Amino acid sequence: MNPAQDPASPPPGAALIVVMGVTGSGKTTVGAALGQRLRVPFADADDFHSEANIAKMSDGIPLDDEDRLPWLRAIGTWLSEHAATGGVASCSALKRSYRDILREAAPTVSFVHLHGEVDAVRRRVAGRPGHFMPTSLVESQFKTLEPLEPDEQGIVLDFSASVDELVDAYLAATAQTTSAPGTETNPPPADSAAPAASRTSDPDDEAGSPR
């Protein structure tokens, strides 16, 4: 896969991507922008939650693995349905076991982990009126988070960069590992000090509230 060759259209073996991270890391904003750049469909994992899950989180109660299982399976089904033509989904995917469920449904999926400081996430979540995830759950998300392991296909990006910089960083990282469709390797984590992921703008100034 080499999406950097022609960002205006899906490349052969089109990208199948999950933008992951804790609440407030910018998954929806970056995922939508990445899908638009690659011209593939985008799905927000929040839309796959049951009413019971949303009610639980709205009350400040973290979801357990039993709550998440049907949600993850639904996202996995969406990914599998878009494996041939490409797609981008935003999903917290905090644990290795959660990502394994997604990989079981869609083996070619790769992950973009938007990572950053807990204080920055608290500020973002506090500034999102009307969203069901309260700031009280930010700590629990960081405690649950299991970063990508070396054998997992994906990259890590610093979410303090602007949305365009993050999309460009993904395209640059995947261009470094160009290969025949189906043989893409796991690129190294992007260097947050590099221009593509510099801290030149406040992502909270982007259109929409990152989440």
Side-chain angles (χ1 to χ4, degrees), residues 16-115:
L16 189 66
I17 305 161
V18 167
V19 182
M20 61 168 283
V22 299
T23 185
S25 59
K27 300 184 296 295
T28 298
T29 306
V30 174
L34 188 55
Q36 184 176 34
R37 184 80 70 92
L38 295 172
R39 290 196 176 179
V40 297
F42 169 72
D44 184 350
D46 284 351
D47 296 335
F48 293 82
H49 273 301
S50 66
E51 292 184 5
N53 280 4
I54 293 174
K56 193 171 183 177
M57 289 185 286
S58 298
D59 289 338
I61 304 171
L63 300 180
D64 57 29
D65 286 357
E66 185 176 350
D67 297 323
R68 289 190 174 98
L69 183 56
W71 172 67
L72 289 165
R73 285 176 173 166
I75 298 164
T77 296
W78 187 92
L79 290 168
S80 68
E81 291 171 347
H82 292 82
T85 55
V88 180
S90 67
C91 176
S92 52
L94 298 177
K95 288 185 179 182
R96 169 70 187 251
S97 60
Y98 302 163
R99 298 190 291 272
D100 287 343
I101 292 171
L102 300 180
R103 271 188 292 264
E104 183 178 356
T108 61
V109 68
S110 63
F111 294 85
V112 178
H113 180 191
L114 301 181
H115 181 65

Side-chain angles (χ1 to χ4, degrees), residues 57-210:
M57 289 185 286
S58 298
D59 289 338
I61 304 171
L63 300 180
D64 57 29
D65 286 357
E66 185 176 350
D67 297 323
R68 289 190 174 98
L69 183 56
W71 172 67
L72 289 165
R73 285 176 173 166
I75 298 164
T77 296
W78 187 92
L79 290 168
S80 68
E81 291 171 347
H82 292 82
T85 55
V88 180
S90 67
C91 176
S92 52
L94 298 177
K95 288 185 179 182
R96 169 70 187 251
S97 60
Y98 302 163
R99 298 190 291 272
D100 287 343
I101 292 171
L102 300 180
R103 271 188 292 264
E104 183 178 356
T108 61
V109 68
S110 63
F111 294 85
V112 178
H113 180 191
L114 301 181
H115 181 65
E117 298 297 327
V118 64
D119 287 342
V121 171
R122 286 197 196 98
R123 289 193 297 270
R124 288 184 176 192
V125 174
R128 284 192 329 201
H131 192 261
F132 59 78
M133 182 73 75
T135 56
S136 60
L137 292 186
V138 171
E139 290 286 350
S140 72
Q141 292 234 323
F142 272 93
K143 289 178 181 177
T144 302
L145 175 64
E146 297 174 0
L148 290 172
E149 297 180 15
D151 64 327
E152 293 189 85
Q153 183 167 279
I155 61 174
V156 181
L157 300 177
D158 184 340
F159 66 51
S160 65
S162 72
V163 173
D164 283 343
E165 287 172 328
L166 290 168
V167 171
D168 288 343
Y170 166 81
L171 295 174
T174 53
Q176 293 170 7
T177 57
T178 303
S179 59
T183 62
E184 182 184 8
T185 57
N186 186 359
D191 182 356
S192 61
S198 63
R199 304 185 179 208
T200 57
S201 64
D202 183 352
D204 288 337
D205 291 337
E206 298 293 328
S209 178

